[in-house]
Structure formats: C-alpha cells, structure tokens
C-alpha cells in the first residue's frame, strides 16, 4: 500500500464510534445508516468523546458545539450523521409553536423537556441546572445528511441515548427527565 489506509484502519464498529457514546443505541444507529462500519470525522477543536464534550459545554459561549460526525462507506465523501449540543434559555423551549405542531412530519416524544423528529433530523431539549446555567436547557440536535434518514423512532432513540450520557456526566440525569430506553410518541 502506498499511503492508503486499509478498511480496518479507517472504519470502526457502531459501539465504538464517538468514544463509545452511541453504544446504548447501536441497533438504531445501524438501522438508520444501514451500515455497521463508520468513520468518525473530528474537526479541529471539536470534542472527541462525552467527557471532552461535557468539559466544552460547561465553558462554551457558542450557540452550538459539533460532536460526532459520522461517515459510512456508502455515504463517502458526505457526512451521514452529525450531532450538535448547546444551551438555550428555558423560556425559548416552546412545544406550543403552532407551525412546529401543525406539520404532520414532526413527531413529538415523551423524553426531556421537549423532543421532536423534524424531517431528516431530531432535537431534544432537557433541563440541567449546573453552575452558571440554571436558567438554561441543553439542546441536542441530530442531522442526517441524506434523503432517507431512517425511522423517526430510531432517530429519537439514538439522540436520547446520547443525551442521557451527557446528562449523566453533567450530573443532571434525574432532573433531565430523559427516558430510560425507547421514548414513546406523544399524541397530537
């Protein structure tokens, strides 16, 4: 080989991506991507695992932090999945937004302060009273870079699993109201 990496050097298994952060939802990750092999893209300055993400979240003034950008062999060279974390004012988390509620594509779930699948993505907001952030909620967002973004229930379960890992590390898992297991759809 002349400068090329072998497949085993590039790709990792679902349970190992993002520092193992998605190991609680590997079935959903495989279902969404239809792949068992992943490459984790790490952009300069981005955290590589949940402990580094939590450290960055506690001091960030940025609206969002990118975390865990994944490629699959079939998605190359485009990103398939990417996650974003940030802080939002609690009053801005408004599940009564009629435009959001009226769109039949959007599905709401019983986890956190608010959880919704939106087209090709998903978002969860959960309360987390940590020092200096008492009036804010954590925002967790999943973006899927292809048209067929998998089943909404799989997307929200994957995002919920990652959100729980972060809430636990932040010390607010109980306060977060994040479902242990598969979040259930709410009726409209």
């Amino acid at each position: 080989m002349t400068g090329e990496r072998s497949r085993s050097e590039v790709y990792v298994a679902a349970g190992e991506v993002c520092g193992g952060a998605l190991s609680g939802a590997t079935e959903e990750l495989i279902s969404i991507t239809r792949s068992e092999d992943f490459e984790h893209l790490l952009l300069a300055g981005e955290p590589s695992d949940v402990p580094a993400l939590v450290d960055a979240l506690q001091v960030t003034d940025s609206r969002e932090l990118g975390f865990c950008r994944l490629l699959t062999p079939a998605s190359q060279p485009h990103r398939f999945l990417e996650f974003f974390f940030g802080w939002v004012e609690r009053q801005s988390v408004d599940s009564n937004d009629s435009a959001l509620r009226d769109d039949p594509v959007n599905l709401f779930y019983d986890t956190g302060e608010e959880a919704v699948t939106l087209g090709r993505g998903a978002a969860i907001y959960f309360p987390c009273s940590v020092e200096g952030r008492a009036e804010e909620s954590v925002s967790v967002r999943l973006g899927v870079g292809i048209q067929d973004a998998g089943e909404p229930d799989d997307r929200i379960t994957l995002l919920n699993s990652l959100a729980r890992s972060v809430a636990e590390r932040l010390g607010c898992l109980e306060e977060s109201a994040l479902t242990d297991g598969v979040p259930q759809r709410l009726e409209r």
Side-chain angles (χ1 to χ4, degrees), residues 10-11 38-39 41 70-80:
V10 175
Y11 295 103
F38 301 91
E39 182 179 354
L41 293 179
L70 299 178
L71 297 171
T72 66
S75 73
Q76 297 279 356
H78 305 287
R79 294 182 192 129
F80 196 101

Side-chain angles (χ1 to χ4, degrees), residues 120-183:
R120 295 187 310 194
I124 296 176
Y125 302 89
F126 64 88
C128 188
S129 300
V130 298
E131 188 176 332
R133 303 284 187 176
E135 302 301 317
E136 295 175 293
S137 292
V138 177
S139 162
V140 187
R141 199 168 54 82
L142 164 67
V144 181
I146 63 163
Q147 195 61 31
D148 181 5
E151 293 298 317
D153 293 351
D154 288 341
R155 291 195 312 267
I156 205 72
T157 300
L158 179 66
L159 193 59
N160 187 66
S161 177
L162 181 55
R164 284 183 58 83
S165 296
V166 170
E168 182 173 36
R169 186 78 183 191
L170 282 166
C172 62
L173 183 57
E174 188 173 325
E175 176 192 7
S176 73
L178 292 164
T179 301
D180 183 14
V182 177

Side-chain angles (χ1 to χ4, degrees), residues 9-62:
E9 291 175 313
V10 175
Y11 295 103
V12 297
E16 299 172 22
V17 298
C18 310
L22 303 176
S23 62
T26 55
E27 287 180 27
E28 289 79 7
L29 178 59
I30 291 167
S31 174
I32 292 166
T33 61
R34 291 168 302 288
S35 179
E36 294 184 15
D37 296 319
F38 301 91
E39 182 179 354
H40 179 185
L41 293 179
L42 188 59
L43 301 181
E46 283 188 345
S48 60
D49 57 19
V50 169
L53 172 63
V54 168
D55 289 346
L57 264 176
Q58 289 178 320
V59 298
T60 188
D61 289 328
S62 298

Side-chain angles (χ1 to χ4, degrees), residues 85-114:
F85 284 79
W87 296 95
V88 295
E89 290 182 40
R90 287 212 176 136
Q91 63 203 29
S92 70
V93 178
D94 183 8
S95 61
N96 294 318
D97 179 346
S98 63
L100 190 65
R101 285 269 174 206
D102 292 344
D103 188 336
V105 172
N106 301 335
L107 302 173
F108 293 84
Y109 293 82
D110 69 345
T111 190
E113 199 167 23
E114 180 173 67

